[in-house]
């Protein structure tokens, strides 16, 4: 059997971040080295508290939780409380009983973990990219020991925060541009697949009736969002974790991709150049700062929801 894949997960917990956290905490194929928190779906203080609560519930008090950036690099925070609840986690009012965040600088802690790892680390970022941008800026040497960065963010088609921009990129486009123009291999698990991995009303009931506390919590936060958006609900961020465990469930294509940081209607958009041919030299690359990214364009939704459910209901 292969040894578990070493990962660091960056979150803005958040309902679907909680689904991602539970999978990363429970799946035997992953070695969760740390979780870094960033301002995004809700203020950083809630993100940290929600993250600790979820990990504590999952019995993973051993995982270091890092307090990252409390605001985007150059814009104002824009929270998504209408969807995630005023506490960011379905208004369950969970709070950690005894688990505490690590008292150290998040970038420095991540840098040490990455540099001392015998095996290259996979970073999974399911939140605005502020923490990852700061890490790459402050400690560029870490890039040499990163296997891949899997991002939940961006879109090759429509946006959700705006007509053109996906929430995580739109929340901090300057950070996203730093990350997208780095020389780290990127898989973009964006909106083209994000909504295609589902939990049904029956799945949510099974979770709520489970003997396992983490499964019941997942069921309750799932029921919260179903009340707002209806069934089926999306597994969202957890799909990006599934993509690391089971990459064959994802169909990716490599395209030059750039992030728009200009003020205006396209701010936060990921421009994915999907043209099958580029007919003039000037047109070869739509934008000078674009980077070749593995863009997820299809997902086996049933395979990923089964992977997630089996992990949460059996561990
Ligand atoms: C992303 O935005 C957040 O609301 C979710 O947690 C997810 O990471 C989807 O656009
Ligand atoms: Ca998120």
């Amino acid at each position: 059997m292969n040894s578990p894949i070493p990962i660091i997960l960056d979150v803005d917990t958040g309902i679907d971040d909680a689904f991602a956290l539970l999978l990363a905490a429970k799946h035997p194929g992953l070695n969760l080295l740390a979780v870094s928190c960033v301002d995004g779906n809700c203020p950083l203080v809630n993100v940290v508290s929600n993250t600790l609560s979820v990990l504590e519930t999952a019995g993973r008090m051993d995982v270091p939780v890092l307090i990252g950036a409390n605001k985007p690099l150059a814009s104002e925070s824009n929270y998504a409380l209408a969807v995630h609840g005023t506490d960011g986690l379905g208004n369950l009012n969970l709070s950690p009983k005894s688990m505490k965040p690590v008292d150290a600088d998040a970038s420095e802690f991540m840098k040490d973990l990455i540099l001392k790892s015998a095996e290259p680390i996979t970073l999974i970022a399911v939140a605005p990219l502020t923490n990852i941008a700061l890490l790459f800026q402050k400690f560029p040497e870490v890039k040499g020991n990163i296997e891949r960065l899997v991002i939940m963010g961006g879109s090759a088609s429509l946006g959700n925060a705006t007509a053109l921009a996906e929430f995580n990129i739109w929340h901090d486009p300057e950070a996203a541009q730093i990350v997208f123009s780095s020389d780290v291999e990127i898989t973009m698990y964006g909106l083209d697949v994000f909504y295609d991995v589902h939990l049904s009303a029956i799945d949510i009931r099974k979770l709520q009736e489970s003997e396992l506390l983490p499964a019941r919590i997942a069921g309750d936060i799932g029921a919260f969002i179903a009340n707002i958006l209806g069934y089926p609900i999306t597994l969202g961020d957890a799909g990006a974790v599934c993509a690391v465990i089971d990459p064959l469930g994802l169909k990716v294509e490599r395209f030059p991709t750039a992030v728009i940081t200009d003020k205006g209607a396209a701010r936060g958009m990921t421009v994915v150049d999907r043209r099958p041919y580029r007919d003039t030299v000037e047109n070869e690359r739509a934008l000078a700062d674009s980077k070749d990214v593995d863009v997820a364009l299809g997902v086996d939704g049933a395979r990923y929801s089964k992977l997630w459910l089996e992990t949460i209901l059996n561990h």
Side-chain angles (χ1 to χ4, degrees), residues 19-284:
F19 294 158
L21 266 170
L22 287 173
L23 180 60
K26 293 277 177 195
H27 197 280
L30 300 176
N31 177 11
L32 180 58
L33 297 176
V35 176
S36 49
C37 298
V38 67
D39 173 87
N41 285 322
C42 52
L44 182 65
V45 61
N46 295 81
V47 173
V48 173
S49 168
N50 293 341
T51 301
L52 292 167
S53 299
V54 172
L55 284 173
E56 203 176 61
T57 303
R60 292 301 310 268
M61 316 257 298
D62 59 303
V63 177
V65 171
L66 312 172
I67 305 177
N70 66 0
K71 58 179 170 54
L73 296 184
S75 39
E76 295 300 313
S77 297
N78 280 285
Y79 302 122
L81 303 181
V83 180
H84 293 269
T86 45
D87 64 352
L89 200 54
N91 292 342
L92 297 192
N93 292 315
L94 295 177
S95 54
K97 292 189 179 58
S98 59
M99 194 174 173
K100 298 262 181 301
V102 170
D103 183 17
D105 177 77
S107 312
E108 196 134 355
F109 195 94
M110 285 197 263
K111 181 259 294 178
D112 290 343
L113 270 181
I114 294 169
L115 293 184
K116 75 165 194 250
S117 175
E119 236 187 286
I121 286 186
T122 298
L123 288 182
I124 310 176
V126 296
L129 290 164
T130 325
N131 284 346
I132 310 297
L134 290 170
L135 173 69
F136 287 2
Q137 273 189 330
K138 287 200 221 162
F139 304 108
E141 65 273 28
V142 297
K143 292 187 244 167
N145 205 27
I146 292 175
E147 177 71 30
R148 175 169 287 273
L149 170 61
V150 178
I151 292 170
M152 188 289 120
S155 169
S157 47
L158 302 176
N160 58 358
T162 71
L164 297 172
E166 182 281 328
F167 178 84
N168 288 338
I169 306 297
W170 171 79
H171 195 263
D172 195 345
E174 282 73 19
Q177 191 180 54
I178 291 168
V179 172
F180 272 74
S181 56
S182 75
D183 50 5
V184 168
E185 282 294 323
I186 293 180
T187 300
M188 185 174 111
Y189 185 95
L191 295 182
D192 312 283
V193 290
F194 181 80
Y195 296 109
D196 295 340
V197 187
H198 301 144
L199 292 178
S200 66
I202 295 172
D203 297 330
I204 292 295
R205 197 167 333 116
K206 263 192 219 155
L207 289 162
Q208 288 182 303
E209 288 171 359
S210 167
E211 285 174 0
L212 303 172
L213 179 62
R216 292 203 299 278
I217 298 280
D220 288 348
I221 59 178
F224 172 88
I225 201 148
N227 268 331
I228 301 171
L229 301 176
Y231 284 109
I233 64 163
T234 176
L235 262 185
D237 289 345
V241 181
C242 293
V244 173
I245 300 167
D246 179 15
L248 295 180
L250 205 61
K251 180 175 153 274
V252 297
E253 282 187 60
R254 202 162 172 84
F255 294 116
T257 302
V259 178
I260 304 291
T261 54
D262 302 343
K263 294 201 165 42
R267 181 164 169 79
M269 177 184 182
T270 43
V271 180
V272 179
D273 190 349
R274 295 175 67 182
R275 289 174 297 171
Y277 61 88
R278 299 177 182 98
D279 54 359
T280 66
V281 176
E282 304 85 71
N283 246 343
E284 231 166 55

